[in-house]
Amino acid sequence: MNHDLASIATALVAKGKGILAADETVPTLTKRFDALGIQSTEESRRTYREMLFVGAAEFISGVIMYDETIRQKSSGGVPLAQLLSDQGILPGIKVDTGAKHLAGSSDEKITEGLDGLRDRLSEYRAMGACFAKWRAVIRIADRLPSTACVSANAHALGRYAALCQEQHLVPIVEPEVLMDGSHTIERCEEITGVVLHAVFQALFEQRVVLEHMLLKPNMVTAGMACSRPAKVQEIAVATLRCLRRHVPAAVPGIVFLSGGQNDRTATAHLNTINQLPGPKPWKISFSYGRALQDPALTAWDGRDENLKLGQQALYHRARCNGAASLGTYTDQMEAASAGG
Ligand code: 13P
């Protein structure tokens, strides 16, 4: 495996490809399984992840795993990280230990996981990981986010990214401004700008090499409970404007999270952003979790006889998003059946 950080960062945003985020913690994946009545066991989670990891390499450059998964083997006895690299997919790993209550704030979170991180990164690299992910969450409300929340999370992202590069892993820096709430798209743009500014300041202070990282931001959208939902074009324009203002051109790629958008909407937004005129100094692609996985999870439904259907559903979404990363996604492509 080539551990040159610049090549890994570039390979993750190779033409027409993006990242599959499959790094849900056990409680989160269990919640998703529960919603469909699927039993969550170490074995059922392994089966599900193996299903996702095979068959969509044409459009998937990397997969983000959770600690449990990177330690598991396929049904054929191959470590799952190797199953990925054998298909030319870069294995990645979530390394934060979750968003916890921020002391001194009424309803905000700080992402933890810096203690012992150097040793964990070194272990993951030995297990085949090429890149890592750390997610910070920022909530918008009348008087939120607080400066304390933004700066503490930005600082942690900076410390994490510097440690990753020291340990020869490409950091994916994920500051997520949540869609929860009734805020307008204008307010989301303002806060996303504030957060990105703080994050790049922290990355600069911690001497993070921008060419050796990727940014995983939210799109600029209205809150889910906003009385004036934003249109696709409006979201694309606001998102690209905000990124142009706050993300240095040295960053090789921006890979969006889906954040609760439905699968087709997330694809349409990515496509429209890539179709907008004007300079785009970074590759713009996806690192979706729910928007890639949801149809595959539903099609699988926990049954061995549906594994193929699950893979076909993932292939279809990955193909549509791969096209959206080039601005060539169409309704006809969407209409082609998942199996077609
Ligand atoms: P969603 O695309 O479901 O938001 O997940 C992406 C992710 O990795 C969240 O950390």
Side-chain angles (χ1 to χ4, degrees):
M1 189 57 72
N2 180 357
H3 274 285
D4 172 64
L5 296 185
S7 333
I8 290 166
T10 316
L12 285 168
V13 284
K15 195 169 175 206
K17 292 189 183 186
I19 296 169
L20 166 66
D23 59 328
E24 297 83 5
T25 59
V26 170
T28 300
L29 190 57
T30 299
K31 226 186 295 164
R32 307 246 159 98
F33 278 18
D34 283 351
L36 295 171
I38 302 168
Q39 227 199 338
S40 177
T41 63
E42 196 178 332
E43 179 56 21
S44 68
R45 293 189 294 272
R46 191 201 62 74
T47 302
Y48 175 61
R49 256 81 195 239
E50 182 178 351
M51 173 187 87
L52 297 177
F53 292 1
V54 176
E58 222 178 307
F59 312 107
I60 300 291
S61 56
V63 170
I64 314 174
M65 289 180 278
Y66 178 59
D67 181 80
E68 177 183 70
T69 316
I70 199 172
R71 298 175 192 281
Q72 288 177 322
K73 293 189 168 144
S74 72
S75 47
V78 180
L80 291 180
Q82 195 189 323
L83 186 79
L84 292 171
S85 41
D86 286 350
Q87 299 169 82
I89 299 175
L90 295 164
I93 182 77
K94 168 192 174 77
V95 301
D96 66 70
T97 56
K100 310 284 161 60
H101 176 68
L102 176 67
S105 176
S106 55
D107 200 5
E108 291 183 297
K109 296 198 158 153
I110 174 70
T111 299
E112 296 187 348
L114 289 171
D115 288 353
L117 181 58
R118 174 178 280 127
D119 292 340
R120 288 193 294 124
L121 293 174
S122 160
E123 187 192 4
Y124 287 137
R125 197 192 148 186
M127 292 165 88
C130 299
F131 70 101
K133 179 195 109 167
W134 177 292
R135 171 176 177 255
V137 288
I138 309 287
R139 199 166 82 80
I140 299 181
D142 277 352
R143 291 164 178 278
L144 301 181
S146 65
T147 307
C149 176
V150 173
S151 70
N153 275 295
H155 179 76
L157 280 167
R159 295 271 318 277
Y160 141 81
L163 277 164
C164 283
Q165 293 185 342
E166 180 200 87
Q167 294 300 314
H168 310 289
L169 291 161
V170 166
I172 295 192
V173 172
E174 180 179 5
E176 175 174 6
V177 176
L178 296 171
M179 281 172 71
D180 304 358
S182 56
H183 52 273
T184 60
I185 185 171
E186 289 81 8
R187 177 118 166 100
C188 180
E189 182 172 356
E190 178 200 339
I191 298 303
T192 301
V194 166
V195 169
L196 290 175
H197 187 81
V199 166
F200 280 98
Q201 175 68 26
L203 294 170
F204 178 75
E205 282 169 5
Q206 300 301 325
R207 304 197 174 110
V208 172
V209 180
L210 298 184
E211 288 83 351
H212 296 174
M213 61 162 275
L214 296 178
L215 178 72
K216 175 163 172 167
N218 53 284
M219 291 179 189
V220 172
T221 64
M224 284 198 266
C226 180
S227 53
R228 188 172 57 79
K231 301 200 167 54
V232 173
Q233 186 73 14
E234 201 184 347
I235 287 168
V237 168
T239 300
L240 188 57
R241 179 172 55 216
C242 187
L243 294 172
R244 278 188 187 135
R245 286 177 177 166
H246 298 285
V247 183
V251 174
I254 292 175
V255 287
F256 290 108
L257 58 94
S258 60
Q261 302 175 41
N262 84 40
D263 52 351
R264 292 182 184 203
T265 313
T267 308
H269 288 157
L270 177 62
N271 190 56
T272 308
I273 291 168
N274 274 302
Q275 284 181 341
L276 288 176
K280 298 182 201 81
W282 349 261
K283 284 286 194 60
I284 304 177
S285 190
F286 59 91
S287 175
Y288 292 161
R290 285 161 286 179
L292 272 172
Q293 290 184 48
D294 282 354
L297 177 59
T298 308
W300 171 55
D301 198 27
R303 295 162 200 270
D304 282 350
E305 62 269 29
N306 293 341
L307 283 168
K308 264 252 113 32
L309 288 176
Q311 278 168 344
Q312 285 166 353
L314 178 72
Y315 181 89
H316 177 67
R317 284 263 54 80
R319 177 169 179 261
C320 290
N321 283 304
S325 75
L326 303 169
T328 59
Y329 166 67
T330 59
D331 288 345
Q332 289 89 315
M333 178 179 285
E334 186 60 71
S337 75

